[in-house]
Amino acid sequence: MVRGIQKSLYVILALFIGLFIVSSFFIRAKYSYFVYGDTPVLEKQQLGLFILVIAVVLALSVALYKIGLKLNKFSRKVVIPVVLLCSFGIQLAVIFLFPRLPTDDSQTVLSLALDMLYRGDYSSFETSGYLHMFPFNFSTVLYLKMLLLAFPDNYLTIKIFNILFTLVTTLMIYLLYKQLNTKSKEQDYGILVFAATYIPSLLMSNFIYNDVIATAFLTSALYFAVKFIKRRSLKDIIFAAILLAIGNYFRSIGVIFLITILLSLLFNIRTIGMKKGITALFLTAIVFNVPGWTQNAVLQAANVVDEPVNTNSAPVFMWLNMGINLETFGFWDNRESYSIYQQDANYNKAVSTGLFKEEISNKLSGASLGDLVKMYYKKIIWTWTEGTYQVERYGLGNDGSSGSRGRMVGAVMDSYSYTNAATDLFKGDSNYRSGLLWLLYVLNFLMYGCILVRLIGGIRAGRFEENPIILVVLGFIGFYLLWEIKSRYIYPVYPMLIVLSYMGFKDVYEYMMRRYFTR
């Protein structure tokens, strides 16, 4: 029965990946803040250019893979530190070449952290305040406050810590791969090199928010959970539970990883042993909510709030309501949902929940089945094939003085601390910027191609070791089919895509070598 369920999960993900691949030959998902503003775009695919870039990225991928093969003769104690150090150097160069200033929520959480640090101002928890509406972002505010208390108060401090978290994620990608692929007799440094040079992760170190931090903790949690299933040491599941709780504290999508870990434990309960399995399930579930409980207790004890912070926060139905939009297929609705909570419900959670349910019901009943199918198709295709995690805005940035073409009125402009030759090259909608977007888009497409190879191979061979990763990816697909979308929101899943795609690439490479180059 368990193997049947695991096979079904592989088949479902293969169908989704197949949909992404086929659709990409006809539709190009785009996000360019300078050109279109904060809006998702779907346009007809430029097939000739698409195929040309595929050829270029494939050649680069083979070259990168061969570098990994050449490193196999060296010790891990040498290769891993050197690769991580090189990645650190690249990311350090990025934050100096593109000194992006925080904007939007990034600027808000940083301002709140500074207010709390220097003025002891916690008024944002009061009605109409930012943390009253979005208390889940207090974790980021608290992190920034403690970081700037202990280290120099500047953007460089925060971004360097982002780099360190990205390096942790890179290492965990490699270790997770090795746990799932124990039959490999090679060192497989190729995946380490791939993760260390993955362009979206290199650029996102420039973004002051919770994405990079949560990704490091959640990926680490999954690694230790898989390690526990393989080796059955309770200390591993304790590490997994703690890391998962912290990761979820920074981004609430940790619940997807929680469900993944719990299901993986259940799938392997016979191998683990009933006693250890139940202990692991109990520990993971209990520890998961400890950070939230602790936060509420501390804030109430300090008289910052009189009740739990979630009592009148924005309800989940607000984001579900944003997720149903025929025009922008679930992207930002230009504050329409915010207005329902802030103005119509006067920041009251219970009242706004009723209003949002009514609004969702009206949207669903007012749209035809064809309209809804088209909207959800556009929604899932744009989210998963855009391929850049919106690093063009959140990581690379843009000079606010370079123009406002396509910008929404009232949007917070991107800007740099200073400009230089690099910012000039990528200014506006330059060829360098659009070329980078094409590169990332096609890389994402090829990763899906390799993932599909791995999935089909697993189904045919009855091999389901990658099931924890499959569960995470499917969880994200299902969740963001309903939720408000940004391709940045699926950033925490990139480590899973790297692991699966590298496995598929290796399968194809080794097959080609055996089939055509054995002599």
Side-chain angles (χ1 to χ4, degrees):
M1 179 180 175
V2 170
R3 291 185 68 80
I5 294 172
Q6 291 175 326
K7 183 178 180 179
S8 298
L9 294 172
Y10 269 63
V11 171
I12 293 170
L13 182 56
L15 291 174
F16 275 116
I17 297 297
L19 178 65
F20 302 157
I21 292 172
V22 172
S23 298
S24 295
F25 282 99
F26 303 96
I27 300 171
R28 164 80 192 277
K30 292 179 70 175
Y31 180 89
S32 179
Y33 185 63
F34 182 85
V35 178
Y36 306 107
D38 198 20
T39 306
V41 174
L42 290 171
E43 61 182 28
K44 186 178 180 181
Q45 183 63 272
Q46 301 176 52
L47 198 57
L49 181 57
F50 182 49
I51 293 172
L52 176 62
V53 181
I54 286 175
V56 172
V57 177
L58 268 177
L60 291 173
S61 301
V62 172
L64 202 64
Y65 185 79
K66 287 185 174 181
I67 291 173
L69 291 178
K70 290 182 179 180
L71 293 174
N72 277 333
K73 59 185 177 181
F74 298 104
S75 167
R76 285 191 186 188
K77 294 179 181 179
V78 175
V79 175
I80 292 177
V82 169
V83 171
L84 294 180
L85 186 62
C86 290
S87 183
F88 179 86
I90 295 170
Q91 292 177 74
L92 195 62
V94 166
I95 64 177
F96 278 110
L97 290 173
F98 302 98
R100 187 189 189 279
L101 291 172
T103 56
D104 301 334
D105 286 324
S106 176
Q107 176 60 53
T108 302
V109 294
L110 182 57
S111 297
L112 292 176
L114 294 173
D115 286 343
M116 293 178 188
L117 178 61
Y118 294 117
R119 288 176 285 279
D121 182 3
Y122 288 80
S123 61
S124 183
F125 281 106
E126 297 174 3
T127 303
S128 80
Y130 180 83
L131 292 178
H132 174 88
M133 188 172 181
F134 307 120
F136 53 79
N137 269 338
F138 180 58
S139 56
T140 308
V141 174
L142 182 62
Y143 160 75
L144 293 173
K145 176 190 171 185
M146 301 307 294
L147 193 63
L148 298 179
L149 175 65
F151 298 94
D153 176 3
N154 57 52
Y155 299 132
L156 189 60
T157 295
I158 304 169
K159 293 181 179 182
I160 286 176
F161 270 83
N162 274 352
I163 294 175
L164 296 178
F165 280 113
T166 299
L167 295 181
V168 169
T169 303
T170 298
L171 178 60
M172 287 300 148
I173 289 172
Y174 176 70
L175 295 178
L176 179 59
Y177 171 87
K178 295 300 289 181
Q179 281 293 326
L180 293 171
N181 200 21
T182 52
K183 294 180 181 179
S184 176
K185 297 179 181 179
E186 299 176 349
Q187 295 289 359
D188 293 304
Y189 292 132
I191 190 170
L192 180 68
V193 175
F194 182 23
T197 57
Y198 188 59
I199 297 175
S201 66
L202 299 178
L203 293 175
M204 284 297 274
S205 291
N206 219 0
F207 184 45
I208 299 174
Y209 205 46
N210 56 19
D211 301 69
V212 174
I213 307 168
T215 301
F217 279 109
L218 294 173
T219 307
S220 301
L222 188 64
Y223 161 70
F224 279 104
V226 171
K227 188 178 178 183
F228 168 74
I229 292 170
K230 297 280 185 179
R231 302 188 182 184
R232 300 185 295 281
S233 174
L234 282 175
K235 68 177 183 181
D236 290 326
I237 199 63
I238 292 171
F239 285 144
I242 293 171
L243 292 166
L244 176 63
I246 298 172
N248 183 71
Y249 183 53
F250 279 100
R251 276 202 64 184
S252 299
I253 45 86
V255 69
I256 296 173
F257 286 80
L258 172 66
I259 294 171
T260 293
I261 292 173
L262 294 180
L263 287 176
S264 297
L265 291 171
L266 289 172
F267 288 159
N268 294 277
I269 196 77
R270 289 184 179 179
T271 305
I272 298 168
M274 189 62 68
K275 185 177 180 180
K276 277 190 177 180
I278 293 174
T279 301
L281 288 166
F282 179 78
L283 277 172
T284 306
I286 292 298
V287 174
F288 185 75
N289 288 310
V290 168
W293 295 338
T294 304
Q295 173 184 286
N296 274 326
V298 171
L299 289 175
Q300 287 180 272
N303 294 318
V304 173
V305 295
D306 298 323
E307 56 190 0
V309 293
N310 291 318
T311 301
N312 274 302
S313 62
V316 295
F317 291 97
M318 184 177 80
W319 288 277
L320 292 173
N321 183 55
M322 278 191 269
I324 305 173
N325 190 312
L326 296 180
E327 294 180 3
T328 61
F329 35 93
F331 201 83
W332 171 244
D333 62 4
N334 201 21
R335 299 191 68 85
E336 288 180 15
S337 294
Y338 277 25
S339 295
I340 293 174
Y341 170 75
Q342 293 173 328
Q343 298 175 16
D344 299 345
N346 194 28
Y347 296 90
N348 185 293
K349 187 173 188 174
V351 174
S352 66
T353 296
L355 294 175
F356 282 125
K357 287 181 178 179
E358 183 180 351
E359 183 71 11
I360 291 170
S361 178
N362 291 338
K363 285 181 177 180
L364 293 176
S365 60
S368 67
L369 179 61
D371 288 337
L372 290 174
V373 170
K374 187 183 295 184
M375 181 200 74
Y376 283 113
Y377 172 73
K378 289 180 178 180
K379 184 175 185 179
I380 196 170
I381 293 302
W382 184 85
T383 303
W384 290 91
T385 68
E386 191 272 331
T388 75
Y389 306 98
Q390 297 170 267
V391 295
E392 178 269 342
R393 180 184 184 195
Y394 295 106
L396 193 64
N398 213 327
D399 183 5
S401 64
S402 60
S404 57
R405 183 163 46 117
R407 305 287 181 85
M408 294 170 61
V409 177
V412 180
M413 300 298 180
D414 291 335
S415 58
Y416 297 120
S417 299
Y418 55 84
T419 57
N420 54 43
T423 59
D424 290 341
L425 284 177
F426 286 84
K427 187 175 183 178
D429 189 34
S430 71
N431 290 333
Y432 290 92
R433 183 178 291 263
S434 59
L436 177 65
L437 295 182
W438 262 109
L439 177 67
L440 297 182
Y441 172 76
V442 170
L443 175 60
N444 187 66
F445 169 82
L446 289 175
M447 288 172 70
Y448 286 146
C450 294
I451 289 171
L452 186 60
V453 169
R454 184 66 180 183
L455 292 172
I456 292 174
I459 293 168
R460 294 178 63 181
R463 181 197 64 241
F464 306 117
E465 286 84 358
E466 300 92 29
N467 196 65
I469 293 180
I470 306 297
L471 283 166
V472 171
V473 178
L474 284 175
F476 270 79
I477 290 174
F479 183 78
Y480 284 108
L481 192 61
L482 301 176
W483 205 255
E484 179 218 2
I485 59 165
K486 279 187 172 72
S487 60
R488 176 177 69 81
Y489 289 169
I490 65 170
Y491 181 78
V493 87
Y494 93 84
M496 314 302 131
L497 300 183
I498 284 181
V499 171
L500 280 176
S501 63
Y502 184 83
M503 288 177 172
F505 185 89
K506 184 178 179 181
D507 291 344
V508 173
Y509 184 88
E510 291 182 348
Y511 172 80
M512 296 293 287
M513 292 300 292
R514 288 194 305 269
R515 182 72 174 81
Y516 299 106
F517 301 100
T518 51
R519 294 183 182 179

